Amino acid sequence: MYTIKTLNQIAQTGLRKLPEEEFCIDPDTSCPDGIILRSFDMHSMELNDNLLAVARAGAGTNNIPIAKCTAKGIPVFNTPGANANAVKELVLAGLLISSRRIIDGAAWVQTLEGNVEKAAENGKKQFLGPEIAGKTLGVIGLGAIGVLVANAALNLGMNVIGYDPFLTLESAWHLSASVDKADSMEELAAASDYITLHIPLNDKTRHTFDKNLFAVTKKGARLLNFARGGLVDNEALQRAIAAGIISRYVTDFPDSSLLGNPNIIVLPHLGASTPESEENCAEMAAVELREYLRYGNIRNSVNFPGCIVPYSGKPRVAISHSNIVNMIGQLGAVFTKHHINIDKMVNNSKGDLAYNIIVCDNLPEDENQLIQDLYNIHSVLKVRILK
């Protein structure tokens, strides 16, 4: 029985993916085997020794201490693409409200008195805004969401430029051939009437849109940020707005420094706030957690390599360790010592980390000694026997 701690409200459709006979959902436990969360900040949490995995029902994982989890051999899963349609729809709304001054106009109408129809007709010119058809949208980041946004913008009659130096084969398959490719963010920013960000937030991407990128941005551009707040340098943004470089900024990430500027629209982090998205993310996170705890399989981990070995009924040993030379030889020597015949072995790596699933024809009587001998190998982080 695995105990699963939920740190946020998780959709029941997701939790039902964890069968009651194998998994106990306990939000109050202090010693979980697995954790499912959404936006809860885990950085101040102590990670209990028996914690095996963390699953984020969403794409961003900056609320999870990735390095600490990796050092303890704990894979962190996320759910790329599960909320992509919800975010795409909000980005399209952002395109429109950045141009047509819809929000300003609606708020103004609420203040009218007397002959409202006449007053509205006389005053509507102040909310004049351009159409998006025929304009150029620059999409920075062509993952699941970026691809959907780019393709949808084409269907709305826009010209689209994309930039992503790490474009995956899967994303390339789904991306329309009509999307032009920029060689740099600077090239994209200089050519775009609208720019939308769809990249993760990490130490390398923080303040991607800084004073240098604003300096080469097309004058009057509209900037959309439905990815992560820290991608934009807010101080540089304010100066770019004052200089007329950015005519409108729409973001889904509230920050006190952004309030009060009429050319900034701040939404209350609504990107994935649809029942469909919450259910999709919860289901995907629960399945990832279930497959890892049951069989050691890894799909969509941000810190561990992907590793899928279909279950055949035979026992398997899952081992994570530092990605250094001669580890396979040392692991094999331990299995030989315990007279274990290996049916299948898959070893994958991701940066400094390696992960193995070893399917066995037999296990020794003293399984604890096998585990101890594996842990005695320098750089082994986690060993699990799964039957």
Side-chain angles (χ1 to χ4, degrees):
M1 178 72 73
Y2 295 107
T3 301
I4 307 300
K5 184 180 184 69
T6 54
L7 296 177
N8 296 102
Q9 194 73 27
I10 304 297
Q12 286 299 312
T13 54
L15 297 181
R16 283 197 288 270
K17 297 290 184 179
L18 302 172
E20 293 182 357
E21 61 270 20
E22 298 176 69
F23 299 89
C24 172
I25 310 299
D26 184 358
D28 300 319
T29 182
S30 59
C31 293
D33 298 296
I35 290 175
I36 301 182
L37 76 160
R38 291 168 60 196
S39 58
F40 184 93
D41 190 344
M42 284 185 60
H43 286 280
S44 60
M45 279 184 63
E46 288 294 326
L47 304 180
N48 53 291
D49 290 339
N50 62 301
L51 181 63
L52 296 174
V54 176
R56 159 80 159 97
T61 55
N62 53 306
N63 58 319
I64 300 171
I66 303 295
K68 186 191 294 187
C69 289
T70 304
K72 288 178 170 287
I74 300 170
V76 176
F77 299 94
N78 67 345
T79 58
N83 63 2
N85 185 70
V87 178
K88 177 208 75 175
E89 291 184 358
L90 196 62
V91 172
L92 296 180
L95 275 172
L96 295 172
I97 63 177
S98 73
S99 276
R100 299 296 299 274
R101 307 193 78 88
I102 298 166
I103 291 179
D104 296 339
W108 173 74
V109 168
Q110 293 294 325
T111 69
L112 300 181
E113 298 177 352
N115 189 336
V116 173
E117 183 177 351
K118 183 177 180 180
E121 196 64 29
N122 290 337
K124 69 180 183 181
K125 290 183 179 179
Q126 64 186 299
F127 304 110
L128 186 70
E131 299 177 14
I132 63 173
K135 306 302 191 305
T136 297
L137 172 66
V139 182
I140 298 177
L142 293 168
I145 297 171
V147 166
L148 289 178
V149 170
N151 292 344
L154 287 170
N155 292 332
L156 291 172
M158 301 188 78
N159 304 309
V160 181
I161 302 173
Y163 173 75
D164 191 335
F166 307 107
L167 182 66
T168 66
L169 181 60
E170 183 176 358
S171 292
W173 282 340
H174 292 94
L175 184 66
S176 170
S178 297
V179 175
D180 292 329
K181 312 303 187 299
D183 292 327
S184 67
M185 284 188 287
E186 290 76 12
E187 177 188 336
L188 180 147
S192 299
D193 302 296
Y194 301 79
I195 302 167
T196 181
L197 298 172
H198 298 290
I199 55 179
L201 176 63
N202 53 47
D203 291 339
K204 293 182 179 180
T205 62
R206 186 174 301 279
H207 290 181
T208 288
F209 237 102
D210 59 7
K211 64 179 182 180
N212 296 321
L213 192 52
F214 280 121
V216 297
T217 297
K218 184 176 181 179
K219 192 173 180 65
R222 290 165 167 82
L223 178 62
L224 312 178
N225 181 8
F226 291 84
R228 281 292 178 267
L231 296 172
V232 176
D233 181 339
N234 289 341
E235 291 186 8
L237 167 71
Q238 296 281 6
R239 291 193 293 269
I241 291 174
I245 296 171
I246 298 296
S247 60
R248 270 280 168 111
Y249 177 56
V250 183
T251 182
D252 203 23
F253 304 98
D255 186 290
S256 59
S257 68
L258 300 176
L259 304 182
N261 189 319
N263 292 311
I264 297 177
I265 298 172
V266 184
L267 304 178
H269 201 183
L270 297 177
S273 294
T274 69
E276 296 89 349
S277 175
E278 291 183 3
E279 290 180 358
N280 290 343
C281 288
E283 291 179 19
M284 191 170 175
V287 169
E288 291 166 350
L289 192 63
R290 183 191 71 199
E291 292 303 297
Y292 177 72
L293 294 178
R294 274 180 175 174
Y295 308 122
N297 289 331
I298 294 179
R299 187 190 302 274
N300 295 326
S301 173
V302 299
N303 60 337
F304 271 57
C307 190
I308 306 292
V309 178
Y311 183 63
S312 63
K314 294 182 178 182
R316 54 181 58 191
V317 183
I319 307 168
S320 57
H321 57 81
S322 298
N323 186 21
I324 58 178
V325 297
N326 198 34
M327 285 300 298
I328 301 301
Q330 293 183 75
L331 295 175
V334 172
F335 280 77
T336 299
K337 172 186 173 181
H338 288 271
H339 306 288
I340 299 171
N341 188 53
I342 296 176
D343 175 63
K344 180 180 292 186
M345 179 177 183
V346 177
N347 172 271
N348 290 334
S349 63
K350 187 173 188 175
D352 295 331
L353 186 71
Y355 181 74
N356 306 265
I357 295 178
I358 303 170
V359 180
C360 307
D361 286 330
N362 61 291
L363 288 176
E365 291 186 9
D366 191 348
E367 295 178 6
N368 290 330
Q369 187 59 56
L370 169 63
I371 292 173
Q372 186 58 55
D373 287 346
L374 290 169
Y375 272 123
N376 286 339
I377 299 174
H378 181 64
S379 298
V380 166
L381 301 174
K382 182 81 73 176
V383 178
R384 300 173 62 215
I385 294 180
L386 301 165
K387 302 177 183 179

